Amino acid sequence: MLDAKLNWGLMMTDQHDEIEVLFAQARAVTPVVSDGLFARIMADAAAADMVRQPRAPVLPQKGWFAGLLAALGGWPALGGLAMATVAGVWIGVAPPTQLTDIAVSLWGGTETVSLSLQDDVFGLEG
C-alpha cells in the first residue's frame, strides 16, 4: 500500500512537471492580432461612439440650503421637521393638563419663566 501511495505521488509530480512545461511554452508565444481583426474592432468602436446617447447634464447645487435640504432627505423630510417643530412649540407654550400633572408627579412642582421685558429676566433685582 505504501508503494501505491509513493507511485501516485510520483505520478502527480510528473503530471505537474508536464503541465509546467506546457504553460512555459504558452507563455513564450506572443499573440498577434491580424490587421483585419484590428480594423473591424476599431470600426465597431467608432460606430458605437456615434450611437452613444448624451448624458443629462448634472446641475450643481446652489448654496448651503440646497446641500442641507439634500442631506435631510428633500422637501418631504423638511415638511415633517417643520410639523414637529410647530408641535413642539405648541406643546411648550400651551402644555396639556396631563403633561403638567406628569411633571408635578415626577419633579414635585412646575416652574414658570417669564420672558417679557417688564420682568427681571436675569434675576438682577433684589
Side-chain angles (χ1 to χ4, degrees):
M1 181 148 180
L2 183 59
D3 291 335
K5 287 183 181 178
L6 287 176
N7 287 338
W8 185 77
L10 290 174
M11 194 170 59
M12 288 301 291
T13 305
D14 291 339
Q15 285 179 353
H16 181 70
D17 291 340
E18 290 175 14
I19 290 174
E20 285 300 321
V21 169
L22 290 174
F23 282 149
Q25 289 174 354
R27 277 188 234 113
V29 176
T30 40
V32 178
V33 178
S34 68
D35 292 335
L37 176 62
F38 188 72
R40 287 192 304 269
I41 290 172
M42 293 308 289
D44 286 345
D49 192 32
M50 295 300 245
V51 174
R52 184 176 57 176
Q53 304 226 351
R55 293 184 352 194
V58 177
L59 300 175
Q61 292 183 346
K62 298 175 182 160
W64 63 271
F65 183 73
L68 178 66
L69 185 64
L72 290 176
W75 287 108
L78 194 64
L81 284 173
M83 185 62 208
T85 302
V86 168
V89 169
W90 188 343
I91 290 172
V93 170
T97 57
Q98 295 87 0
L99 187 61
T100 306
D101 294 342
I102 292 172
V104 168
S105 66
L106 288 176
W107 290 290
T110 59
E111 295 292 328
T112 57
V113 177
S114 176
L115 297 177
S116 65
L117 294 176
Q118 289 88 13
D119 296 333
D120 183 23
V121 178
F122 299 107
L124 299 175
E125 293 179 10

